[in-house]
Each structure stands twice: as C-alpha cells, then as structure tokens.
Amino acid sequence: MNLQVENKEICVGNIHIVGVASSSVFLIGDAEVISLSSVFDTPPESLIIGPLVPLALGGGR
C-alpha cells in the first residue's frame, strides 16, 4: 500500500460551537503532540460548583 500525503493550507470560514465540556480540545488542522494535565489541591468536598452558564448565541462575526 502506498500512501501519499500533501499538507496544504487550510482555510476555515466559520465555526459554530454549541457548548464545551470541562475537558475538551478544539483542533483544526493537525498536531504532533498534545499534552494536557489537571491537578486539584483542594479536597472535593470544598468545591462549590454553581449553575452552568450558557454560551452567548448569535452575535458577532
């Protein structure tokens, strides 16, 4: 099997994101390495997590 890859420019005109999770990655194109980490030094029972705030809809271009 022969596979030939030609990396060329990518042009993204418009992106519509409805929501994001607390651990998410939004990527256009390619990446050789993505390293993510998260550390909490607070006990879980002391965290106060309030209501979710929706992303603004419509608007600017």
Side-chain angles (χ1 to χ4, degrees), residues 3-48:
L3 176 65
Q4 181 178 351
V5 177
E6 293 183 23
N7 290 326
K8 297 186 178 187
E9 291 182 21
I10 184 169
C11 179
V12 178
N14 191 14
I15 297 172
H16 177 78
I17 298 176
V18 176
V20 291
S22 59
S23 60
S24 56
V25 173
F26 179 75
L27 176 68
I28 296 176
D30 57 2
E32 192 160 326
V33 175
I34 297 177
S35 299
L36 304 171
S37 65
S38 176
V39 176
F40 286 106
D41 61 354
T42 306
E45 59 272 7
S46 68
L47 290 177
I48 299 172

